[in-house]
Amino acid sequence: MADFCTVGAGFSGAVIARELADAGHTVDVFDDRSHTAGNCHTERDVDSGVMIHRYGPHIFHTDSERVWSYLKRHTEFMPYTNRVKTTSGGRVFSLPVNLLTINQFFGKTFSPSEAREFIESQADLSIEDPITFEDQALRFVGRDLYEAFFKGYTQKQWGCSPTELPASILKRLPVRFNYDDNYFFHKYQGMPREGYTAIVDQILDHPNITLALNTRFSRQQTSDYEHVFYSGPLDGFFDYELGRLGYRTLDFKEIRAEGDYQGCAVMNYGDESVPYTRIAEHKHFSPWEEHAKTVCFEEYSRACGEDDIPYYPIRLANEQAMLRDYIALAEKEDGVSFVGRLGTYRYLDMDVTIAEALAAAEAFIDLRAANRQIPAFFVSPV
Ligand code: FAD
Ligand code: UDP
């Protein structure tokens, strides 16, 4: 039996296991899936040779020097810039909303300052402090762009009206008054040459780490270890005894074709009448590769059932109340820390996941050396 264990061989579990192994400890890593890398798992499609992102498109982006250099120790990153298009009302536009989007949508040739003035004239300035997603959109882009690009998409993605969602979801997207169509504004962005699973396998490749795939960890096993880092679902650890935290899940409908299907990696669909939110064409995530065939996935979002894979935590008022109750339970549990996107019930990008995992392992090693209590959460889930 090892000293410690991590539940989950995604970035959270793998990074923590490696840090502990490097510090001289033995670590067991469990994952109930047949592969490593969790939701970031990539695999080469046998028929086309295309690198597939099995659980949806993943583009790495970060401002963190530490995370960027950590990952570059484990893989080669290729230059990649995420440029998203959207189809709305039978026309194609550039996202995030930028000067090209505004000029095309309104049939204008605005300069940056003219566009800014125009959008301000469209905006609902009476909304001083936007609380809901819809308020945020009406305040910053106005009704026309909101209805074309955000209203239908968001309804499909979250299964509820944008009036019920927090403004914070839309704040993730910029509005630009220039022609910059880079979806992200981070300093580093790229795609691992051999995919994400190869990175995680490299991270886990250490003589002190024992990996058990297809192996479900249950609460009763906690006492087998001095300490457990659990990156599975928080409610699942407690066998859902207080109910289920709400998630959205995704269904992927595969499309196979010859050549180039849609000419870009990600095409969003703003109209509510189109049932999927977007189509991802995976060979465009590896633009340095050439493949005659192509594989795409239409993405359908729906409420997560008991046997579905949880993707996006919903975190509305009901879930927040249940979350607090689960936190209270977790804080009474000995020998376990809850980490990662499922363990802390938060949407986390990969870079944040890795930064938090590095920090958790570091804090753990220090606290243990000082004989101090190890917290249930290194980062508060609320
Ligand atoms: P996970 O990857 O979910 O790993 C947890 C693992 O634990 C899973 O394999 C699970 O099966 C296993 N497990 C759970 N319970 C148990 C148990 N009891 N016993 C054994 N194993 C268990 N981030 C970006 O930075 N860029 C992107 O472009 C991006 N795109 C995304 C697109 C989608 C559709 C989604 C949903 C997320 C995206 N993300 C993206 C976020 C990214 O997926 C997460 O940051 C990352 O997966 C978090 O890693 P994790 O290890 O915490 O969790
Ligand atoms: N969104 C939208 N239309 C789009 C893209 C995004 O309405 O074409 C909304 C949607 O509600 C989404 C949010 O903006 O959840 C944040 O966008 P992001 O691209 O960060 O979505 P995610 O990565 O969470 O899928």
Side-chain angles (χ1 to χ4, degrees), residues 150-179:
F150 301 113
K151 192 176 178 190
Y153 186 101
T154 296
Q155 178 78 43
K156 291 187 285 186
Q157 169 81 0
W158 293 100
C160 63
S161 163
T163 56
E164 295 168 55
L165 292 166
S168 57
I169 295 181
L170 185 56
K171 283 184 193 160
R172 300 215 284 260
L173 299 185
V175 177
R176 299 207 184 100
F177 297 102
N178 58 32
Y179 289 101

mmCIF file of all heavy atoms in Angstrom, residues 150-179:
data_model
loop_
_atom_site.group_PDB
_atom_site.id
_atom_site.type_symbol
_atom_site.label_atom_id
_atom_site.label_comp_id
_atom_site.label_asym_id
_atom_site.label_seq_id
_atom_site.Cartn_x
_atom_site.Cartn_y
_atom_site.Cartn_z
ATOM 1 N N PHE A 150 -26.037 35.405 -28.510
ATOM 2 C CA PHE A 150 -25.953 34.918 -27.131
ATOM 3 C C PHE A 150 -27.237 34.288 -26.573
ATOM 4 O O PHE A 150 -27.165 33.333 -25.807
ATOM 5 C CB PHE A 150 -25.512 36.061 -26.197
ATOM 6 C CG PHE A 150 -24.176 36.622 -26.586
ATOM 7 C CD1 PHE A 150 -24.034 37.912 -27.064
ATOM 8 C CD2 PHE A 150 -23.042 35.828 -26.497
ATOM 9 C CE1 PHE A 150 -22.801 38.412 -27.450
ATOM 10 C CE2 PHE A 150 -21.792 36.314 -26.876
ATOM 11 C CZ PHE A 150 -21.676 37.614 -27.350
ATOM 12 N N LYS A 151 -28.377 34.865 -26.961
ATOM 13 C CA LYS A 151 -29.621 34.432 -26.310
ATOM 14 C C LYS A 151 -29.912 32.947 -26.593
ATOM 15 O O LYS A 151 -30.061 32.141 -25.674
ATOM 16 C CB LYS A 151 -30.774 35.310 -26.791
ATOM 17 C CG LYS A 151 -32.027 35.136 -25.981
ATOM 18 C CD LYS A 151 -33.104 36.092 -26.416
ATOM 19 C CE LYS A 151 -34.361 35.826 -25.601
ATOM 20 N NZ LYS A 151 -35.499 36.548 -26.140
ATOM 21 N N GLY A 152 -29.975 32.582 -27.871
ATOM 22 C CA GLY A 152 -30.315 31.207 -28.256
ATOM 23 C C GLY A 152 -29.232 30.230 -27.830
ATOM 24 O O GLY A 152 -29.513 29.157 -27.294
ATOM 25 N N TYR A 153 -27.977 30.610 -28.042
ATOM 26 C CA TYR A 153 -26.852 29.724 -27.696
ATOM 27 C C TYR A 153 -26.878 29.411 -26.201
ATOM 28 O O TYR A 153 -26.742 28.261 -25.779
ATOM 29 C CB TYR A 153 -25.531 30.395 -28.083
ATOM 30 C CG TYR A 153 -24.313 29.512 -27.916
ATOM 31 C CD1 TYR A 153 -23.734 28.888 -29.017
ATOM 32 C CD2 TYR A 153 -23.726 29.313 -26.663
ATOM 33 C CE1 TYR A 153 -22.605 28.078 -28.874
ATOM 34 C CE2 TYR A 153 -22.609 28.509 -26.507
ATOM 35 C CZ TYR A 153 -22.049 27.900 -27.616
ATOM 36 O OH TYR A 153 -20.938 27.103 -27.465
ATOM 37 N N THR A 154 -27.075 30.445 -25.412
ATOM 38 C CA THR A 154 -27.025 30.284 -23.955
ATOM 39 C C THR A 154 -28.212 29.463 -23.461
ATOM 40 O O THR A 154 -28.068 28.612 -22.576
ATOM 41 C CB THR A 154 -26.962 31.669 -23.292
ATOM 42 O OG1 THR A 154 -25.726 32.258 -23.701
ATOM 43 C CG2 THR A 154 -27.022 31.595 -21.783
ATOM 44 N N GLN A 155 -29.379 29.705 -24.045
ATOM 45 C CA GLN A 155 -30.557 28.899 -23.701
ATOM 46 C C GLN A 155 -30.262 27.414 -23.961
ATOM 47 O O GLN A 155 -30.558 26.545 -23.143
ATOM 48 C CB GLN A 155 -31.740 29.379 -24.560
ATOM 49 C CG GLN A 155 -33.027 28.616 -24.373
ATOM 50 C CD GLN A 155 -33.785 29.002 -23.110
ATOM 51 O OE1 GLN A 155 -33.905 30.184 -22.790
ATOM 52 N NE2 GLN A 155 -34.271 28.002 -22.378
ATOM 53 N N LYS A 156 -29.642 27.113 -25.111
ATOM 54 C CA LYS A 156 -29.329 25.720 -25.453
ATOM 55 C C LYS A 156 -28.253 25.153 -24.509
ATOM 56 O O LYS A 156 -28.335 24.034 -24.050
ATOM 57 C CB LYS A 156 -28.802 25.633 -26.902
ATOM 58 C CG LYS A 156 -29.845 25.918 -27.954
ATOM 59 C CD LYS A 156 -29.313 25.658 -29.363
ATOM 60 C CE LYS A 156 -28.370 26.716 -29.871
ATOM 61 N NZ LYS A 156 -27.960 26.539 -31.259
ATOM 62 N N GLN A 157 -27.232 25.970 -24.250
ATOM 63 C CA GLN A 157 -26.086 25.501 -23.449
ATOM 64 C C GLN A 157 -26.484 25.206 -22.008
ATOM 65 O O GLN A 157 -26.052 24.235 -21.414
ATOM 66 C CB GLN A 157 -24.989 26.562 -23.495
ATOM 67 C CG GLN A 157 -23.851 26.376 -22.518
ATOM 68 C CD GLN A 157 -22.832 25.368 -23.006
ATOM 69 O OE1 GLN A 157 -22.959 24.796 -24.085
ATOM 70 N NE2 GLN A 157 -21.828 25.127 -22.200
ATOM 71 N N TRP A 158 -27.306 26.099 -21.437
ATOM 72 C CA TRP A 158 -27.576 25.990 -19.999
ATOM 73 C C TRP A 158 -28.986 25.477 -19.698
ATOM 74 O O TRP A 158 -29.325 25.226 -18.531
ATOM 75 C CB TRP A 158 -27.354 27.351 -19.317
ATOM 76 C CG TRP A 158 -25.903 27.731 -19.363
ATOM 77 C CD1 TRP A 158 -25.310 28.591 -20.241
ATOM 78 C CD2 TRP A 158 -24.845 27.213 -18.536
ATOM 79 N NE1 TRP A 158 -23.951 28.659 -20.007
ATOM 80 C CE2 TRP A 158 -23.641 27.811 -18.966
ATOM 81 C CE3 TRP A 158 -24.806 26.300 -17.473
ATOM 82 C CZ2 TRP A 158 -22.412 27.529 -18.374
ATOM 83 C CZ3 TRP A 158 -23.579 26.018 -16.888
ATOM 84 C CH2 TRP A 158 -22.402 26.635 -17.338
ATOM 85 N N GLY A 159 -29.855 25.369 -20.738
ATOM 86 C CA GLY A 159 -31.202 24.833 -20.535
ATOM 87 C C GLY A 159 -32.086 25.736 -19.719
ATOM 88 O O GLY A 159 -33.044 25.278 -19.094
ATOM 89 N N CYS A 160 -31.743 27.017 -19.657
ATOM 90 C CA CYS A 160 -32.619 27.961 -18.955
ATOM 91 C C CYS A 160 -32.452 29.328 -19.594
ATOM 92 O O CYS A 160 -31.570 29.528 -20.444
ATOM 93 C CB CYS A 160 -32.294 28.010 -17.458
ATOM 94 S SG CYS A 160 -30.648 28.610 -17.101
ATOM 95 N N SER A 161 -33.304 30.245 -19.200
ATOM 96 C CA SER A 161 -33.251 31.578 -19.795
ATOM 97 C C SER A 161 -32.009 32.345 -19.302
ATOM 98 O O SER A 161 -31.630 32.217 -18.133
ATOM 99 C CB SER A 161 -34.511 32.344 -19.389
ATOM 100 O OG SER A 161 -34.308 33.713 -19.598
ATOM 101 N N PRO A 162 -31.404 33.148 -20.186
ATOM 102 C CA PRO A 162 -30.271 33.980 -19.742
ATOM 103 C C PRO A 162 -30.638 34.941 -18.611
ATOM 104 O O PRO A 162 -29.761 35.467 -17.940
ATOM 105 C CB PRO A 162 -29.873 34.747 -21.001
ATOM 106 C CG PRO A 162 -30.407 33.936 -22.130
ATOM 107 C CD PRO A 162 -31.645 33.249 -21.628
ATOM 108 N N THR A 163 -31.961 35.124 -18.380
ATOM 109 C CA THR A 163 -32.364 35.985 -17.259
ATOM 110 C C THR A 163 -32.162 35.266 -15.924
ATOM 111 O O THR A 163 -32.207 35.891 -14.866
ATOM 112 C CB THR A 163 -33.853 36.384 -17.374
ATOM 113 O OG1 THR A 163 -34.617 35.163 -17.461
ATOM 114 C CG2 THR A 163 -34.121 37.230 -18.600
ATOM 115 N N GLU A 164 -31.965 33.936 -15.975
ATOM 116 C CA GLU A 164 -31.769 33.176 -14.722
ATOM 117 C C GLU A 164 -30.295 32.918 -14.435
ATOM 118 O O GLU A 164 -29.951 32.343 -13.406
ATOM 119 C CB GLU A 164 -32.475 31.817 -14.819
ATOM 120 C CG GLU A 164 -33.990 31.912 -14.924
ATOM 121 C CD GLU A 164 -34.590 30.563 -15.322
ATOM 122 O OE1 GLU A 164 -34.323 29.565 -14.639
ATOM 123 O OE2 GLU A 164 -35.299 30.520 -16.343
ATOM 124 N N LEU A 165 -29.422 33.288 -15.381
ATOM 125 C CA LEU A 165 -27.990 32.988 -15.220
ATOM 126 C C LEU A 165 -27.221 34.225 -14.751
ATOM 127 O O LEU A 165 -27.604 35.352 -15.071
ATOM 128 C CB LEU A 165 -27.416 32.522 -16.560
ATOM 129 C CG LEU A 165 -27.933 31.175 -17.053
ATOM 130 C CD1 LEU A 165 -27.586 30.975 -18.521
ATOM 131 C CD2 LEU A 165 -27.349 30.041 -16.210
ATOM 132 N N PRO A 166 -26.094 34.020 -14.034
ATOM 133 C CA PRO A 166 -25.336 35.178 -13.564
ATOM 134 C C PRO A 166 -24.545 35.869 -14.678
ATOM 135 O O PRO A 166 -24.129 35.229 -15.650
ATOM 136 C CB PRO A 166 -24.378 34.568 -12.535
ATOM 137 C CG PRO A 166 -24.239 33.141 -12.933
ATOM 138 C CD PRO A 166 -25.532 32.733 -13.587
ATOM 139 N N ALA A 167 -24.331 37.156 -14.523
ATOM 140 C CA ALA A 167 -23.567 37.970 -15.489
ATOM 141 C C ALA A 167 -22.158 37.412 -15.679
ATOM 142 O O ALA A 167 -21.554 37.545 -16.748
ATOM 143 C CB ALA A 167 -23.504 39.411 -14.996
ATOM 144 N N SER A 168 -21.634 36.735 -14.646
ATOM 145 C CA SER A 168 -20.242 36.260 -14.689
ATOM 146 C C SER A 168 -19.982 35.326 -15.876
ATOM 147 O O SER A 168 -18.863 35.279 -16.388
ATOM 148 C CB SER A 168 -19.887 35.550 -13.382
ATOM 149 O OG SER A 168 -20.796 34.485 -13.163
ATOM 150 N N ILE A 169 -20.996 34.582 -16.327
ATOM 151 C CA ILE A 169 -20.782 33.631 -17.436
ATOM 152 C C ILE A 169 -20.426 34.400 -18.706
ATOM 153 O O ILE A 169 -19.521 34.015 -19.457
ATOM 154 C CB ILE A 169 -22.034 32.752 -17.659
ATOM 155 C CG1 ILE A 169 -22.278 31.869 -16.438
ATOM 156 C CG2 ILE A 169 -21.879 31.896 -18.918
ATOM 157 C CD1 ILE A 169 -23.482 30.945 -16.560
ATOM 158 N N LEU A 170 -21.103 35.514 -18.949
ATOM 159 C CA LEU A 170 -20.821 36.277 -20.167
ATOM 160 C C LEU A 170 -19.536 37.095 -20.028
ATOM 161 O O LEU A 170 -18.843 37.364 -21.018
ATOM 162 C CB LEU A 170 -22.001 37.198 -20.508
ATOM 163 C CG LEU A 170 -21.877 37.963 -21.817
ATOM 164 C CD1 LEU A 170 -21.664 37.031 -23.006
ATOM 165 C CD2 LEU A 170 -23.109 38.819 -22.071
ATOM 166 N N LYS A 171 -19.203 37.442 -18.789
ATOM 167 C CA LYS A 171 -17.981 38.249 -18.571
ATOM 168 C C LYS A 171 -16.730 37.513 -19.024
ATOM 169 O O LYS A 171 -15.675 38.114 -19.179
ATOM 170 C CB LYS A 171 -17.862 38.627 -17.089
ATOM 171 C CG LYS A 171 -18.790 39.765 -16.700
ATOM 172 C CD LYS A 171 -18.567 40.177 -15.251
ATOM 173 C CE LYS A 171 -19.691 41.092 -14.771
ATOM 174 N NZ LYS A 171 -19.782 41.134 -13.318
ATOM 175 N N ARG A 172 -16.850 36.167 -19.214
ATOM 176 C CA ARG A 172 -15.696 35.402 -19.708
ATOM 177 C C ARG A 172 -15.326 35.824 -21.132
ATOM 178 O O ARG A 172 -14.208 35.597 -21.575
ATOM 179 C CB ARG A 172 -16.024 33.901 -19.734
ATOM 180 C CG ARG A 172 -16.388 33.296 -18.402
ATOM 181 C CD ARG A 172 -15.877 31.866 -18.286
ATOM 182 N NE ARG A 172 -16.646 30.886 -19.021
ATOM 183 C CZ ARG A 172 -17.558 30.082 -18.473
ATOM 184 N NH1 ARG A 172 -17.793 30.172 -17.179
ATOM 185 N NH2 ARG A 172 -18.200 29.196 -19.187
ATOM 186 N N LEU A 173 -16.284 36.421 -21.879
ATOM 187 C CA LEU A 173 -16.028 36.767 -23.282
ATOM 188 C C LEU A 173 -15.786 38.260 -23.446
ATOM 189 O O LEU A 173 -16.562 39.070 -22.937
ATOM 190 C CB LEU A 173 -17.225 36.377 -24.160
ATOM 191 C CG LEU A 173 -17.594 34.897 -24.206
ATOM 192 C CD1 LEU A 173 -18.717 34.667 -25.203
ATOM 193 C CD2 LEU A 173 -16.387 34.072 -24.599
ATOM 194 N N PRO A 174 -14.741 38.640 -24.202
ATOM 195 C CA PRO A 174 -14.487 40.073 -24.405
ATOM 196 C C PRO A 174 -15.352 40.653 -25.538
ATOM 197 O O PRO A 174 -15.931 39.902 -26.330
ATOM 198 C CB PRO A 174 -13.019 40.093 -24.824
ATOM 199 C CG PRO A 174 -12.795 38.775 -25.496
ATOM 200 C CD PRO A 174 -13.725 37.791 -24.831
ATOM 201 N N VAL A 175 -15.451 41.983 -25.606
ATOM 202 C CA VAL A 175 -15.985 42.679 -26.785
ATOM 203 C C VAL A 175 -14.844 43.573 -27.241
ATOM 204 O O VAL A 175 -14.306 44.347 -26.439
ATOM 205 C CB VAL A 175 -17.212 43.542 -26.422
ATOM 206 C CG1 VAL A 175 -17.697 44.312 -27.649
ATOM 207 C CG2 VAL A 175 -18.325 42.680 -25.852
ATOM 208 N N ARG A 176 -14.446 43.451 -28.507
ATOM 209 C CA ARG A 176 -13.258 44.191 -28.950
ATOM 210 C C ARG A 176 -13.617 45.162 -30.064
ATOM 211 O O ARG A 176 -14.366 44.818 -30.981
ATOM 212 C CB ARG A 176 -12.199 43.219 -29.478
ATOM 213 C CG ARG A 176 -11.730 42.227 -28.440
ATOM 214 C CD ARG A 176 -10.315 41.779 -28.736
ATOM 215 N NE ARG A 176 -9.913 40.761 -27.783
ATOM 216 C CZ ARG A 176 -9.914 39.459 -28.039
ATOM 217 N NH1 ARG A 176 -10.246 39.024 -29.238
ATOM 218 N NH2 ARG A 176 -9.545 38.606 -27.115
ATOM 219 N N PHE A 177 -13.026 46.349 -29.986
ATOM 220 C CA PHE A 177 -13.254 47.353 -31.027
ATOM 221 C C PHE A 177 -12.054 47.424 -31.967
ATOM 222 O O PHE A 177 -11.625 48.488 -32.395
ATOM 223 C CB PHE A 177 -13.596 48.703 -30.378
ATOM 224 C CG PHE A 177 -14.879 48.614 -29.590
ATOM 225 C CD1 PHE A 177 -14.865 48.518 -28.207
ATOM 226 C CD2 PHE A 177 -16.110 48.565 -30.243
ATOM 227 C CE1 PHE A 177 -16.040 48.386 -27.487
ATOM 228 C CE2 PHE A 177 -17.296 48.436 -29.534
ATOM 229 C CZ PHE A 177 -17.260 48.347 -28.144
ATOM 230 N N ASN A 178 -11.480 46.267 -32.257
ATOM 231 C CA ASN A 178 -10.455 46.137 -33.290
ATOM 232 C C ASN A 178 -10.685 44.790 -33.970
ATOM 233 O O ASN A 178 -11.669 44.106 -33.670
ATOM 234 C CB ASN A 178 -9.046 46.237 -32.693
ATOM 235 C CG ASN A 178 -8.822 45.187 -31.626
ATOM 236 O OD1 ASN A 178 -9.367 44.086 -31.690
ATOM 237 N ND2 ASN A 178 -8.031 45.524 -30.619
ATOM 238 N N TYR A 179 -9.781 44.413 -34.887
ATOM 239 C CA TYR A 179 -10.035 43.185 -35.656
ATOM 240 C C TYR A 179 -9.380 41.949 -35.029
ATOM 241 O O TYR A 179 -9.231 40.932 -35.695
ATOM 242 C CB TYR A 179 -9.587 43.373 -37.112
ATOM 243 C CG TYR A 179 -10.502 44.326 -37.863
ATOM 244 C CD1 TYR A 179 -10.143 45.645 -38.094
ATOM 245 C CD2 TYR A 179 -11.754 43.895 -38.319
ATOM 246 C CE1 TYR A 179 -10.986 46.513 -38.756
ATOM 247 C CE2 TYR A 179 -12.611 44.762 -38.986
ATOM 248 C CZ TYR A 179 -12.228 46.063 -39.193
ATOM 249 O OH TYR A 179 -13.079 46.913 -39.840
#
